[in-house]
Amino acid sequence: TQSFCYDILRTGVQRAESRGFDPVLTVHDEIVAEWTGPPEEGGPLLAQIMAEPIDWAPGFPLAAVGHSMTRYHKED
């Protein structure tokens, strides 16, 4: 299960990179990335990218929430 979920996370990282994000680290099931576009667009766009269906995992439920912040911290 862990390797399957890691593959999903890696797919999200690769997709984010291809769309202008600069991933700097992952924390469990999160991607922390730098974004040079408008701050209010970065979090929602990264969440959208992470929730896109994956060809090799058809039907697997994906959901994500994104936040823009100047420093990493856990949201409540």
Side-chain angles (χ1 to χ4, degrees), residues 16-38:
E17 285 176 322
S18 72
R19 294 179 72 200
F21 286 88
D22 184 18
V24 293
L25 67 107
T26 59
V27 180
H28 300 290
D29 60 349
E30 301 175 358
I31 296 174
V32 179
E34 293 182 338
W35 164 255
T36 58

Side-chain angles (χ1 to χ4, degrees), residues 12-13 15-17 19 21 23 30-35 41-52 64-67:
V13 168
R15 288 177 174 178
E17 285 176 322
R19 294 179 72 200
F21 286 88
E30 301 175 358
I31 296 174
V32 179
E34 293 182 338
W35 164 255
E41 294 177 12
L45 179 57
L46 185 56
Q48 177 186 333
I49 292 167
M50 291 297 297
E52 291 175 354
V65 176
H67 304 282

Side-chain angles (χ1 to χ4, degrees), residues 51-67:
E52 291 175 354
I54 299 173
D55 293 342
W56 50 263
F60 191 82
L62 296 171
V65 176
H67 304 282

